[in-house]
Amino acid sequence: MMYKLAGCEPQRVFEIFEEISNVPRCTYHIEGITAHCIEFAEKLGLPVRKDEAGNVIITKPGTEGYESREPVILQGHLDMVAEKLPESTHDFLSEGIELYVEDGFVRAKGTTLGGDNGIAVAMAMAVLESKTRTIIYVATKCYKFIDIYKLYAYNKSKNRDVLLHQ
Protein backbone atom coordinates (compact mmCIF):
# COMPACT_ATOMS: atom_id res chain seq x y z
CA MET A 1 0.00 0.00 0.00
CA MET A 2 1.26 3.48 -0.85
CA TYR A 3 0.79 5.58 2.26
CA LYS A 4 -0.26 9.20 1.86
CA LEU A 5 1.05 9.82 5.37
CA ALA A 6 4.53 8.47 4.58
CA GLY A 7 7.04 10.54 6.48
CA CYS A 8 4.78 11.20 9.46
CA GLU A 9 6.23 9.97 12.74
CA PRO A 10 5.87 7.63 14.46
CA GLN A 11 5.69 5.94 11.09
CA ARG A 12 3.85 2.74 12.00
CA VAL A 13 1.23 4.63 14.04
CA PHE A 14 0.41 6.81 11.04
CA GLU A 15 0.35 3.82 8.69
CA ILE A 16 -2.20 2.13 10.95
CA PHE A 17 -4.15 5.38 11.25
CA GLU A 18 -4.31 5.58 7.47
CA GLU A 19 -5.42 1.93 7.27
CA ILE A 20 -8.28 2.45 9.72
CA SER A 21 -9.19 5.74 8.01
CA ASN A 22 -9.89 3.68 4.88
CA VAL A 23 -12.63 1.82 6.77
CA PRO A 24 -16.00 3.63 7.15
CA ARG A 25 -16.61 4.14 10.87
CA CYS A 26 -19.21 6.77 11.60
CA THR A 27 -21.15 6.51 14.87
CA TYR A 28 -23.61 3.58 14.97
CA HIS A 29 -22.06 2.10 11.82
CA ILE A 30 -18.82 0.51 12.97
CA GLU A 31 -19.22 -3.07 11.78
CA GLY A 32 -16.35 -2.72 9.30
CA ILE A 33 -13.87 -1.22 11.75
CA THR A 34 -14.86 -3.77 14.39
CA ALA A 35 -14.15 -6.59 11.92
CA HIS A 36 -10.87 -4.89 10.95
CA CYS A 37 -9.69 -4.80 14.59
CA ILE A 38 -10.68 -8.43 15.18
CA GLU A 39 -8.83 -9.51 12.02
CA PHE A 40 -5.80 -7.47 13.11
CA ALA A 41 -5.66 -9.29 16.46
CA GLU A 42 -6.22 -12.71 14.88
CA LYS A 43 -3.36 -12.16 12.41
CA LEU A 44 -1.08 -11.43 15.38
CA GLY A 45 -2.34 -14.49 17.24
CA LEU A 46 -3.62 -12.36 20.12
CA PRO A 47 -6.69 -13.22 22.18
CA VAL A 48 -9.59 -11.07 21.02
CA ARG A 49 -13.27 -10.96 21.82
CA LYS A 50 -16.26 -8.81 21.19
CA ASP A 51 -18.37 -8.27 24.29
CA GLU A 52 -22.15 -8.09 24.55
CA ALA A 53 -22.10 -4.35 23.87
CA GLY A 54 -20.00 -4.80 20.71
CA ASN A 55 -16.69 -3.58 22.16
CA VAL A 56 -13.51 -5.24 20.89
CA ILE A 57 -11.09 -6.40 23.59
CA ILE A 58 -7.60 -7.50 22.56
CA THR A 59 -5.13 -8.87 25.10
CA LYS A 60 -1.38 -9.14 24.82
CA PRO A 61 0.64 -10.93 27.51
CA GLY A 62 3.54 -9.19 29.22
CA THR A 63 7.13 -9.71 28.13
CA GLU A 64 9.26 -12.22 29.98
CA GLY A 65 9.69 -11.17 33.58
CA TYR A 66 6.65 -8.89 33.54
CA GLU A 67 3.87 -11.48 33.24
CA SER A 68 2.58 -10.99 36.79
CA ARG A 69 2.51 -7.19 36.74
CA GLU A 70 -0.75 -5.26 36.78
CA PRO A 71 -1.98 -4.88 33.19
CA VAL A 72 -1.96 -1.60 31.33
CA ILE A 73 -5.25 -0.73 29.69
CA LEU A 74 -5.26 1.23 26.43
CA GLN A 75 -8.64 2.36 25.21
CA GLY A 76 -10.16 4.38 22.44
CA HIS A 77 -13.44 4.54 20.58
CA LEU A 78 -13.77 3.16 17.07
CA ASP A 79 -16.36 5.55 15.68
CA MET A 80 -15.77 9.06 14.41
CA VAL A 81 -17.69 12.28 14.05
CA ALA A 82 -19.17 12.20 10.56
CA GLU A 83 -19.25 15.81 9.42
CA LYS A 84 -18.43 17.19 6.00
CA LEU A 85 -18.35 20.45 4.10
CA PRO A 86 -21.63 21.31 2.34
CA GLU A 87 -20.03 20.83 -1.08
CA SER A 88 -18.60 17.40 -0.20
CA THR A 89 -20.18 14.31 -1.76
CA HIS A 90 -18.47 11.99 0.72
CA ASP A 91 -20.57 9.02 1.90
CA PHE A 92 -19.54 8.10 5.44
CA LEU A 93 -21.39 4.78 5.26
CA SER A 94 -19.41 3.44 2.30
CA GLU A 95 -16.22 5.50 1.97
CA GLY A 96 -13.10 5.88 4.03
CA ILE A 97 -11.59 9.26 4.81
CA GLU A 98 -9.34 10.83 2.17
CA LEU A 99 -6.21 11.92 4.03
CA TYR A 100 -3.41 14.25 3.00
CA VAL A 101 -0.56 16.19 4.62
CA GLU A 102 -0.41 19.96 4.34
CA ASP A 103 2.09 22.22 6.10
CA GLY A 104 3.07 19.35 8.39
CA PHE A 105 -0.52 18.60 9.47
CA VAL A 106 -2.63 15.55 8.64
CA ARG A 107 -5.95 16.64 7.17
CA ALA A 108 -9.03 15.13 5.55
CA LYS A 109 -10.47 16.26 2.22
CA GLY A 110 -13.86 17.86 2.85
CA THR A 111 -14.62 15.86 6.02
CA THR A 112 -13.71 15.55 9.64
CA LEU A 113 -10.45 13.70 10.23
CA GLY A 114 -11.57 11.15 12.80
CA GLY A 115 -8.28 11.68 14.55
CA ASP A 116 -9.52 12.23 18.10
CA ASN A 117 -9.57 8.54 18.90
CA GLY A 118 -8.52 7.16 15.54
CA ILE A 119 -4.97 8.00 16.55
CA ALA A 120 -5.52 6.40 19.98
CA VAL A 121 -6.68 3.20 18.30
CA ALA A 122 -3.71 3.34 15.90
CA MET A 123 -1.26 3.79 18.79
CA ALA A 124 -2.79 0.87 20.70
CA MET A 125 -2.57 -1.31 17.59
CA ALA A 126 1.09 -0.31 17.07
CA VAL A 127 1.87 -1.34 20.65
CA LEU A 128 0.04 -4.64 20.15
CA GLU A 129 2.03 -5.55 17.05
CA SER A 130 5.42 -4.24 18.20
CA LYS A 131 8.11 -6.79 18.94
CA THR A 132 10.87 -4.36 19.92
CA ARG A 133 12.43 -4.55 23.33
CA THR A 134 12.28 -0.78 23.62
CA ILE A 135 8.71 -1.25 24.80
CA ILE A 136 8.31 -3.44 27.86
CA TYR A 137 4.91 -5.06 27.76
CA VAL A 138 3.05 -5.41 30.95
CA ALA A 139 -0.02 -7.50 30.19
CA THR A 140 -1.95 -5.15 27.94
CA LYS A 141 -5.67 -5.01 27.33
CA CYS A 142 -6.88 -2.82 24.53
CA TYR A 143 -10.49 -1.82 24.73
CA LYS A 144 -11.83 -0.48 21.47
CA PHE A 145 -15.21 0.90 22.39
CA ILE A 146 -17.83 1.12 19.71
CA ASP A 147 -18.64 4.75 20.39
CA ILE A 148 -17.85 7.58 22.76
CA TYR A 149 -21.28 7.47 24.43
CA LYS A 150 -20.88 3.82 25.38
CA LEU A 151 -17.31 4.51 26.52
CA TYR A 152 -18.59 7.19 28.90
CA ALA A 153 -21.36 4.96 30.25
CA TYR A 154 -18.96 2.02 30.57
CA ASN A 155 -16.44 4.08 32.52
CA LYS A 156 -19.14 5.36 34.86
CA SER A 157 -20.52 1.87 35.48
CA LYS A 158 -17.24 -0.03 35.90
CA ASN A 159 -14.45 0.39 38.36
CA ARG A 160 -10.74 -0.29 37.81
CA ASP A 161 -10.82 -3.72 39.45
CA VAL A 162 -13.59 -4.90 37.16
CA LEU A 163 -11.73 -3.64 34.08
CA LEU A 164 -8.51 -5.37 35.13
CA HIS A 165 -10.17 -8.75 35.61
CA GLN A 166 -12.34 -9.01 32.53
Short mmCIF file of all heavy atoms in Angstrom, two decimals, residues 87-111:
data_model
loop_
_atom_site.label_atom_id
_atom_site.label_comp_id
_atom_site.label_asym_id
_atom_site.label_seq_id
_atom_site.Cartn_x
_atom_site.Cartn_y
_atom_site.Cartn_z
N GLU A 87 -20.29 21.20 0.31
CA GLU A 87 -20.03 20.83 -1.08
C GLU A 87 -19.47 19.41 -1.23
O GLU A 87 -19.35 18.89 -2.34
CB GLU A 87 -19.08 21.83 -1.75
CG GLU A 87 -17.70 21.90 -1.15
CD GLU A 87 -17.55 22.87 0.03
OE1 GLU A 87 -18.56 23.33 0.60
OE2 GLU A 87 -16.40 23.15 0.38
N SER A 88 -19.17 18.74 -0.13
CA SER A 88 -18.60 17.40 -0.20
C SER A 88 -19.66 16.36 -0.56
O SER A 88 -20.79 16.41 -0.07
CB SER A 88 -17.98 17.03 1.15
OG SER A 88 -17.55 15.68 1.13
N THR A 89 -19.29 15.42 -1.39
CA THR A 89 -20.18 14.31 -1.76
C THR A 89 -19.81 13.03 -1.02
O THR A 89 -20.31 11.96 -1.34
CB THR A 89 -20.11 14.05 -3.28
OG1 THR A 89 -18.77 13.72 -3.63
CG2 THR A 89 -20.60 15.26 -4.07
N HIS A 90 -18.95 13.16 -0.03
CA HIS A 90 -18.47 11.99 0.72
C HIS A 90 -19.63 11.23 1.36
O HIS A 90 -20.53 11.82 1.94
CB HIS A 90 -17.49 12.45 1.81
CG HIS A 90 -16.87 11.31 2.54
ND1 HIS A 90 -15.78 10.63 2.06
CD2 HIS A 90 -17.21 10.72 3.71
CE1 HIS A 90 -15.47 9.67 2.92
NE2 HIS A 90 -16.32 9.71 3.93
N ASP A 91 -19.58 9.89 1.27
CA ASP A 91 -20.57 9.02 1.90
C ASP A 91 -19.90 8.28 3.05
O ASP A 91 -19.12 7.34 2.83
CB ASP A 91 -21.13 8.03 0.87
CG ASP A 91 -22.17 7.10 1.46
OD1 ASP A 91 -22.46 7.17 2.68
OD2 ASP A 91 -22.70 6.26 0.70
N PHE A 92 -20.18 8.69 4.27
CA PHE A 92 -19.54 8.10 5.44
C PHE A 92 -19.88 6.63 5.65
O PHE A 92 -19.15 5.92 6.32
CB PHE A 92 -19.89 8.89 6.70
CG PHE A 92 -19.16 10.18 6.83
CD1 PHE A 92 -19.78 11.37 6.48
CD2 PHE A 92 -17.86 10.22 7.28
CE1 PHE A 92 -19.11 12.57 6.59
CE2 PHE A 92 -17.17 11.41 7.39
CZ PHE A 92 -17.80 12.60 7.05
N LEU A 93 -20.99 6.18 5.09
CA LEU A 93 -21.39 4.78 5.26
C LEU A 93 -20.62 3.82 4.35
O LEU A 93 -20.50 2.64 4.65
CB LEU A 93 -22.89 4.62 5.02
CG LEU A 93 -23.79 5.33 6.02
CD1 LEU A 93 -25.25 5.17 5.63
CD2 LEU A 93 -23.55 4.83 7.44
N SER A 94 -20.08 4.34 3.25
CA SER A 94 -19.41 3.44 2.30
C SER A 94 -17.99 3.84 1.93
O SER A 94 -17.30 3.08 1.26
CB SER A 94 -20.24 3.34 1.02
OG SER A 94 -20.30 4.59 0.35
N GLU A 95 -17.54 5.02 2.36
CA GLU A 95 -16.22 5.50 1.97
C GLU A 95 -15.35 5.79 3.19
O GLU A 95 -15.83 6.28 4.21
CB GLU A 95 -16.33 6.80 1.15
CG GLU A 95 -17.11 6.65 -0.13
CD GLU A 95 -17.34 7.98 -0.83
OE1 GLU A 95 -17.34 9.03 -0.18
OE2 GLU A 95 -17.51 7.94 -2.05
N GLY A 96 -14.07 5.49 3.02
CA GLY A 96 -13.10 5.88 4.03
C GLY A 96 -12.80 7.36 3.90
O GLY A 96 -13.31 8.04 3.02
N ILE A 97 -11.96 7.84 4.79
CA ILE A 97 -11.59 9.26 4.81
C ILE A 97 -10.39 9.47 3.89
O ILE A 97 -9.43 8.71 3.93
CB ILE A 97 -11.24 9.70 6.25
CG1 ILE A 97 -12.41 9.43 7.19
CG2 ILE A 97 -10.82 11.16 6.30
CD1 ILE A 97 -13.71 10.11 6.79
N GLU A 98 -10.45 10.52 3.07
CA GLU A 98 -9.34 10.83 2.17
C GLU A 98 -8.35 11.75 2.90
O GLU A 98 -8.64 12.92 3.16
CB GLU A 98 -9.85 11.50 0.90
CG GLU A 98 -8.77 11.66 -0.14
CD GLU A 98 -9.29 12.24 -1.45
OE1 GLU A 98 -10.48 12.11 -1.75
OE2 GLU A 98 -8.46 12.83 -2.17
N LEU A 99 -7.21 11.20 3.25
CA LEU A 99 -6.21 11.92 4.03
C LEU A 99 -5.16 12.57 3.14
O LEU A 99 -4.89 12.11 2.03
CB LEU A 99 -5.49 10.95 4.98
CG LEU A 99 -6.37 10.17 5.97
CD1 LEU A 99 -5.52 9.20 6.77
CD2 LEU A 99 -7.12 11.11 6.88
N TYR A 100 -4.56 13.63 3.65
CA TYR A 100 -3.41 14.25 3.00
C TYR A 100 -2.63 15.03 4.05
O TYR A 100 -3.12 15.26 5.16
CB TYR A 100 -3.83 15.15 1.83
CG TYR A 100 -4.67 16.36 2.20
CD1 TYR A 100 -4.08 17.61 2.36
CD2 TYR A 100 -6.04 16.24 2.38
CE1 TYR A 100 -4.84 18.71 2.69
CE2 TYR A 100 -6.82 17.35 2.71
CZ TYR A 100 -6.22 18.58 2.87
OH TYR A 100 -6.97 19.68 3.20
N VAL A 101 -1.40 15.40 3.72
CA VAL A 101 -0.56 16.19 4.62
C VAL A 101 -0.37 17.55 4.00
O VAL A 101 -0.05 17.68 2.81
CB VAL A 101 0.81 15.50 4.86
CG1 VAL A 101 1.70 16.37 5.75
CG2 VAL A 101 0.63 14.11 5.46
N GLU A 102 -0.58 18.58 4.81
CA GLU A 102 -0.41 19.96 4.34
C GLU A 102 0.26 20.77 5.45
O GLU A 102 -0.26 20.78 6.59
CB GLU A 102 -1.77 20.57 3.99
CG GLU A 102 -1.70 21.99 3.51
CD GLU A 102 -3.09 22.53 3.19
OE1 GLU A 102 -3.83 22.84 4.14
OE2 GLU A 102 -3.40 22.62 1.99
N ASP A 103 1.35 21.39 5.14
CA ASP A 103 2.09 22.22 6.10
C ASP A 103 2.41 21.45 7.38
O ASP A 103 2.36 22.00 8.48
CB ASP A 103 1.31 23.50 6.44
CG ASP A 103 1.10 24.39 5.23
OD1 ASP A 103 2.00 24.42 4.35
OD2 ASP A 103 0.05 25.04 5.15
N GLY A 104 2.70 20.17 7.24
CA GLY A 104 3.07 19.35 8.39
C GLY A 104 1.90 18.83 9.20
O GLY A 104 2.09 18.19 10.23
N PHE A 105 0.67 19.07 8.76
CA PHE A 105 -0.52 18.60 9.47
C PHE A 105 -1.28 17.57 8.64
O PHE A 105 -1.41 17.72 7.41
CB PHE A 105 -1.47 19.77 9.77
CG PHE A 105 -0.92 20.73 10.78
CD1 PHE A 105 -0.23 21.86 10.38
CD2 PHE A 105 -1.09 20.49 12.14
CE1 PHE A 105 0.29 22.75 11.30
CE2 PHE A 105 -0.57 21.37 13.08
CZ PHE A 105 0.12 22.51 12.66
N VAL A 106 -1.78 16.54 9.30
CA VAL A 106 -2.63 15.55 8.64
C VAL A 106 -4.03 16.13 8.57
O VAL A 106 -4.57 16.62 9.57
CB VAL A 106 -2.64 14.21 9.42
CG1 VAL A 106 -3.60 13.22 8.78
CG2 VAL A 106 -1.23 13.63 9.50
N ARG A 107 -4.61 16.08 7.40
CA ARG A 107 -5.95 16.64 7.17
C ARG A 107 -6.80 15.65 6.37
O ARG A 107 -6.29 14.70 5.80
CB ARG A 107 -5.85 17.96 6.40
CG ARG A 107 -4.99 19.00 7.09
CD ARG A 107 -5.04 20.33 6.36
NE ARG A 107 -4.14 21.31 6.91
CZ ARG A 107 -4.36 22.04 7.99
NH1 ARG A 107 -5.48 21.91 8.65
NH2 ARG A 107 -3.45 22.92 8.41
N ALA A 108 -8.09 15.94 6.33
CA ALA A 108 -9.03 15.13 5.55
C ALA A 108 -9.69 16.02 4.51
O ALA A 108 -10.03 17.18 4.79
CB ALA A 108 -10.07 14.50 6.45
N LYS A 109 -9.89 15.49 3.32
CA LYS A 109 -10.47 16.26 2.22
C LYS A 109 -11.98 16.38 2.39
O LYS A 109 -12.73 15.41 2.20
CB LYS A 109 -10.14 15.60 0.89
CG LYS A 109 -10.65 16.38 -0.30
CD LYS A 109 -10.30 15.72 -1.61
CE LYS A 109 -10.90 16.50 -2.76
NZ LYS A 109 -10.75 15.79 -4.01
N GLY A 110 -12.43 17.55 2.79
CA GLY A 110 -13.86 17.86 2.85
C GLY A 110 -14.62 17.24 4.01
O GLY A 110 -15.84 17.39 4.08
N THR A 111 -13.94 16.53 4.91
CA THR A 111 -14.62 15.86 6.02
C THR A 111 -13.83 16.04 7.31
O THR A 111 -12.69 16.51 7.29
CB THR A 111 -14.75 14.34 5.78
OG1 THR A 111 -13.44 13.76 5.81
CG2 THR A 111 -15.44 14.02 4.48
#
